[in-house]
């Protein structure tokens, strides 16, 4: 019974995050991937908010993380009378074995490194590939003891959830291979879109089979399972794929939280040591964390 209750409460948290990602009507070219229409300084923050800057959402350094979706004072009082407490993503996700990696997927560096690069991706935004390439290039000049790269995703096309979830799984199951995977996934996403456009059949990537150009193509994340070292055994592929969807949803909720907290208006975006970069380049990233 407790597991069912926790799952139900957790689902509520995720749905509230999804709702925030879809407010504000249809997105135009300038705001494609916008996580919320009202993200910014008017977000309500919990008393436990560290106050901005680097590592505010780092569960390896904080027991309580910022919460931008608190209930009203009246609702909190009512909850207290029922003997309950305010929900938090770290509390609701704690039953998951790899909840820290899902809330804060470190793909480069030590999770406790003082400097931090947060990469917020939208797979459905073509420019995400270029932003990620700048991050990869910057990583070649960074010390993993001094700086970490953390990835978040909130794709307007649902299949992006699965792809980000696989990056999370790789980050702890195949250390050191998450960054090459993300390079492949983002490049392949755009390539399939281009192939579909050429053949006159572009469609939203709602599931893995939408993200194929030909009937003989493997879905993006299934195709990459055999490229890992060691590759994922065929008997484990379904379990890994199911995990990817669940983990991607946990991360998606945190992406919405980060966007509100730091005032990020559209994705992709890079936040270096608590500051949103206006122009993303390898040089700008490295300079921001010096």
């Amino acid at each position: 019974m407790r597991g069912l209750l926790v799952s139900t409460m957790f689902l509520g948290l995720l749905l509230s995050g999804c709702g925030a990602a879809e407010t504000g009507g249809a997105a135009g070219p300038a705001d494609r991937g916008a996580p919320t229409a009202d993200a910014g300084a008017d977000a309500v923050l919990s008393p436990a908010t560290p106050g901005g800057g680097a590592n505010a959402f780092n569960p390896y350094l904080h027991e309580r993380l910022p919460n931008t979706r608190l209930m009203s004072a009246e609702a909190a009082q009512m909850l207290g009378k029922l003997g309950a407490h305010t929900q938090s993503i770290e509390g609701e996700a704690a039953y998951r074995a790899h909840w820290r990696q899902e809330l804060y997927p470190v793909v480069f560096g030590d999770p406790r490194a003082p400097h931090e690069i947060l990469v917020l991706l939208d797979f459905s935004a073509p420019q995400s590939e270029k932003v990620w390439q700048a991050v990869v290039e910057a990583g070649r000049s960074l010390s993993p003891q001094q700086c970490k790269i953390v990835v978040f995703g909130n794709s307007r096309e649902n299949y992006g959830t699965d792809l980000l979830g696989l990056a999370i799984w790789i980050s702890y199951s195949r250390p050191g291979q998450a960054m090459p995977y993300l390079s492949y996934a983002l490049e392949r996403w755009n390539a399939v879109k281009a192939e579909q456009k050429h053949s006159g059949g572009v469609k939203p990537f709602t599931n893995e089979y939408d993200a194929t150009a030909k009937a003989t193509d493997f879905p993006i994340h299934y195709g990459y399972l055999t490229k890992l070292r060691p590759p994922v055994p065929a008997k484990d592929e379904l379990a890994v794929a199911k995990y990817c969807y669940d983990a991607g949803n946990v991360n998606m909720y945190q992406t919405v939280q980060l966007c509100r907290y730091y005032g990020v208006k559209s994705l992709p975006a890079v936040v270096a040591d608590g500051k949103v970069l206006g122009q993303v380049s390898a040089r700008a990233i490295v300079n921001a964390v010096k």
Side-chain angles (χ1 to χ4, degrees):
M1 176 64 75
R2 181 182 179 279
L4 177 60
L5 178 61
V6 171
S7 297
T8 303
M9 294 170 70
F10 184 50
L11 179 60
L13 280 168
L14 295 181
L15 290 177
S16 66
C18 295
E22 295 172 355
T23 58
D31 64 352
R32 185 170 186 169
T36 174
D38 60 349
D42 59 343
V44 179
L45 302 179
S46 78
T49 296
N55 291 304
F57 285 84
N58 189 337
Y60 297 92
L61 298 177
H62 303 292
E63 290 186 5
R64 297 185 64 188
L65 307 177
N67 183 357
T68 67
R69 302 188 68 81
L70 286 180
M71 60 184 65
S72 66
E74 293 79 8
Q77 185 178 21
M78 183 181 298
L79 196 64
K81 289 180 180 179
L82 294 173
H85 58 81
T86 304
Q87 293 172 303
S88 67
I89 187 67
E90 63 271 24
E92 298 305 325
Y95 76 97
R96 299 174 64 82
H98 298 284
W99 67 274
R100 285 186 176 86
Q101 289 93 337
E102 294 167 10
L103 297 185
Y104 195 78
V106 178
V107 298
F108 171 92
D110 184 337
R112 297 179 179 274
H115 296 287
E116 170 191 72
I117 297 168
L118 306 177
V119 187
L120 283 64
L121 299 172
D122 179 354
F123 278 85
S124 67
Q127 61 269 35
S128 285
E129 181 186 2
K130 183 176 180 180
V131 166
W132 179 248
Q133 288 172 349
V135 172
V136 171
E137 184 179 345
R140 299 189 181 104
S141 301
L142 298 173
S143 163
Q145 289 75 40
Q146 291 297 313
C147 187
K148 55 194 169 289
I149 297 173
V150 194
V151 179
F152 297 85
N154 189 4
S155 181
R156 284 181 180 261
E157 296 182 33
N158 293 345
Y159 185 46
T161 305
D162 302 73
L163 297 183
L164 198 282
L166 181 55
I168 295 169
W169 184 85
I170 293 172
S171 72
Y172 63 83
S173 295
R174 304 290 190 275
Q177 299 182 51
M179 292 184 74
Y181 157 71
L182 283 166
S183 296
Y184 169 86
L186 290 163
E187 185 278 332
R188 184 61 186 152
W189 181 294
N190 284 344
V192 171
K193 286 286 187 183
E195 290 179 54
Q196 289 184 347
K197 183 177 181 179
H198 181 72
S199 62
V202 177
K203 52 188 174 182
F205 290 176
T206 302
N207 59 56
E208 61 266 34
Y209 292 103
D210 292 327
T212 56
K214 301 183 292 293
T216 54
D217 289 346
F218 278 111
I220 296 171
H221 72 301
Y222 275 114
Y224 203 81
L225 297 180
T226 58
K227 298 179 184 293
L228 294 169
R229 294 294 176 265
V232 176
K235 64 181 179 62
D236 296 335
E237 288 183 354
L238 184 60
V240 171
K242 181 180 183 301
Y243 172 84
C244 291
Y245 177 77
D246 293 339
N249 271 284
V250 176
N251 186 266
M252 179 177 68
Y253 179 85
Q254 278 304 84
T255 308
V256 175
Q257 293 274 54
L258 265 76
C259 288
R260 289 179 175 271
Y261 187 78
Y262 289 115
V264 174
K265 297 295 184 180
S266 64
L267 303 184
V270 173
V271 182
D273 279 353
K275 296 181 180 180
V276 182
L277 298 186
Q279 295 292 328
V280 178
S281 67
R283 181 186 295 273
I285 294 170
V286 172
N287 288 340
V289 294
K290 281 185 176 178

